[in-house]
Amino acid sequence: MTVTFRTSLCDLLGIEYPVIQSGMGGVAGPDLVAEVSRAGGLGILAGVQVPPEDLRGMIRRVRELTDRPFGVNLLLHSEMRPPADVAAIPEDRIRAVQTLLNRFRERLGIPPTLTRPPAVPDLVDAAIQVILGERAPVWSIGLGNPDGAIVRECHARGIKVMAMVATVEDARQVAASGVDTVVAQGSEAGGHRSTWVKRASAGRALVGTMALVPQVVDVVRVPVIAAGGLADGRGLVAALALGASGILLGTRFVATRESAAPEFWKKNLLERDGEDTTVTDVFSGLYARALRNTFSQEYAASGAPVLPWLVQRGAANDIHVASLKQGTGDYYPMWAGQGTGLIHDLPGAAEVVEAIIREARAVVADLPQRVAL
Ligand SMILES: Cc1cc2nc3c(=O)[nH]c(=O)nc-3n(C[C@H](O)[C@H](O)[C@H](O)COP(=O)(O)O)c2cc1C
């Protein structure tokens, strides 16, 4: 008997396997997305802060590559709608941040500056219009709760809506908005913590996947997707046992051939483990899990303030770009989850999907012997 792992989520999204690749800025372009979807999972395009014309082009490119369902990801954080007013940030705060950043600039051969970072463009509503206009099969949302009206508009166009939460209360709220499926993001997850208001400290909204998933399953009626620290077939079976109907993986897909992440990032994932990750706001202004590097360590130790969401990212952009050009991750945000230690190869994305299903079948086949013990 072959176990197919066909869950209610597969029927909902029209996919073969309940394996989802998360939308990831700078990582998840059309090639990665199409490859995952072609393999029977669901690939999700990174749409955050992508200008509308470019986003439309990316969606159309995925459609050229595959006729399978795929998703488009946006973040709806409260600090993005509208973005922070850079002009209103006190001068001494900007100076304190830039003074610390100048220490990194000097090492990277970049001229020092004390100027204000650029304004953050307000692109969220335009991106939503593109998703509606293109009738993307799935709209994936992080860091925010869509209102009921926009969810209904999606449904009227045949678009399924997926929202990611890090707390049980937020799961209740997105369910009340009528989303089709809820992603329960445990604290092991790479990337930003999926809350819509920045928490008071890095230690908040950090319930682990194992504890969060069944709690979310208990309060919502729609299929739940487990996320955070999952990277193989064992994770899929464990998530299903907790009541989830599928898994969403980010870090695992960063380390694939089709991922657009720079090589040094992929190499770091192969060489380091979950202990090397930290939840920090120094890269973007919001809390996110990333690999520890010189930038995150020295920034945190300096006690320098952190600017609002995306303004912080803009302030350090020249430093991240220089780090990228020099081929080193020392000053570059390398988002990664605690599952980093489970990654030992750089396969194609389709192979990741296939391996997860193959491993999960082996785990299920082996369980009766182990339970009998
Ligand atoms: C490199 C990277 C970039 C990410 N970017 C996004 C993003 O743009 N939007 C989003 O909703 N989630 C993003 N996430 C978070 C994922 O949605 C998800 O919660 C996480 O990857 C799951 O944990 P894992 O990394 O351990 O698999 C990102 C994660 C990573 C690792």
Side-chain angles (χ1 to χ4, degrees):
M1 186 188 70
T2 307
V3 183
T4 62
F5 297 105
R6 207 176 166 84
T7 66
S8 56
L9 183 77
C10 296
D11 295 336
L12 175 78
L13 302 178
I15 56 180
E16 202 176 340
Y17 304 121
V19 178
I20 298 165
Q21 160 258 310
S22 107
M24 298 180 279
V27 173
D31 290 342
L32 176 60
V33 171
E35 198 59 16
V36 173
S37 289
R38 268 203 301 252
L42 186 84
I44 300 182
L45 266 178
V48 181
Q49 294 303 89
V50 177
E53 277 315 309
D54 295 354
L55 186 59
R56 186 173 291 114
M58 286 161 65
I59 293 173
R60 292 184 179 176
R61 178 71 188 136
V62 174
R63 286 200 158 116
E64 282 166 17
L65 295 171
T66 180
D67 56 5
R68 310 294 280 268
F70 65 93
V72 183
N73 174 258
L74 296 180
L75 302 181
L76 298 183
H77 196 270
S78 51
E79 287 184 33
M80 271 175 120
R81 315 182 78 196
D85 178 6
V86 176
I89 302 171
E91 184 60 36
D92 57 342
R93 214 171 167 78
I94 304 268
R95 187 170 276 271
V97 170
Q98 294 290 26
T99 302
L100 183 263
L101 293 178
N102 281 340
R103 198 199 284 175
F104 303 148
R105 289 190 177 102
E106 192 181 348
R107 288 181 211 155
L108 291 162
I110 312 170
T113 180
L114 290 175
T115 54
R116 246 159 229 281
V120 178
D122 188 353
L123 298 173
V124 178
D125 287 336
I128 295 174
Q129 288 312 313
V130 171
I131 291 171
L132 289 170
E134 293 296 310
R135 294 176 188 257
V138 178
W139 178 23
S140 137
I141 296 159
L143 286 65
N145 183 8
D147 60 38
I150 188 80
V151 173
R152 283 192 294 279
E153 209 169 328
C154 285
H155 288 165
R157 290 165 192 242
I159 301 168
K160 302 283 188 250
V161 184
M162 168 190 297
M164 184 164 70
V165 301
T167 68
V168 175
E169 178 49 33
D170 287 354
R172 279 199 190 92
Q173 290 192 24
V174 294
S177 296
V179 303
D180 300 282
T181 171
V182 176
V183 180
Q185 184 205 44
S187 58
E188 299 93 322
H192 286 90
R193 303 300 309 139
S194 197
T195 61
W196 26 105
V197 177
K198 185 178 179 180
R199 296 299 198 259
S201 74
R204 305 302 300 272
L206 275 190
V207 178
T209 305
M210 192 89 177
L212 182 67
V213 169
Q215 292 180 65
V216 171
V217 167
D218 285 346
V219 301
V220 304
R221 301 168 75 97
V222 294
V224 172
I225 300 165
L230 307 170
D232 58 26
R234 292 172 294 186
L236 172 57
V237 177
L240 296 178
L242 294 173
S245 303
I247 56 174
L248 176 138
L249 299 82
T251 308
R252 173 61 273 191
F253 284 108
V254 177
T256 59
R257 285 200 295 276
E258 295 82 3
S259 134
E263 288 308 312
F264 62 74
W265 186 353
K266 298 180 185 180
K267 191 162 175 282
N268 266 270
L269 293 177
L270 293 177
E271 291 171 355
R272 301 172 72 181
D273 66 31
E275 169 63 11
D276 292 329
T277 67
T278 183
V279 175
T280 178
D281 60 353
V282 303
F283 287 115
S284 73
L286 288 183
Y287 293 115
R289 189 176 290 282
L291 286 168
R292 280 196 189 85
N293 60 6
T294 310
F295 186 100
S296 67
Q297 305 261 69
E298 283 195 33
Y299 202 115
S302 76
V306 167
L307 300 173
W309 162 234
L310 295 177
V311 180
Q312 177 75 9
R313 180 93 193 231
N317 189 51
D318 56 343
I319 294 167
H320 301 328
V321 169
S323 189
L324 178 67
K325 280 194 183 140
Q326 295 183 12
T328 149
D330 293 347
Y331 298 91
Y332 190 85
M334 295 184 287
W335 312 125
Q338 291 181 335
T340 298
L342 291 167
I343 296 169
H344 310 295
D345 55 4
L346 285 177
E351 292 166 53
V352 170
V353 177
E354 288 154 13
I356 288 173
I357 298 303
R358 196 172 54 244
E359 292 159 5
R361 283 190 181 125
V363 171
V364 170
D366 191 42
L367 268 179
Q369 285 85 300
R370 299 216 267 141
V371 172
L373 286 174

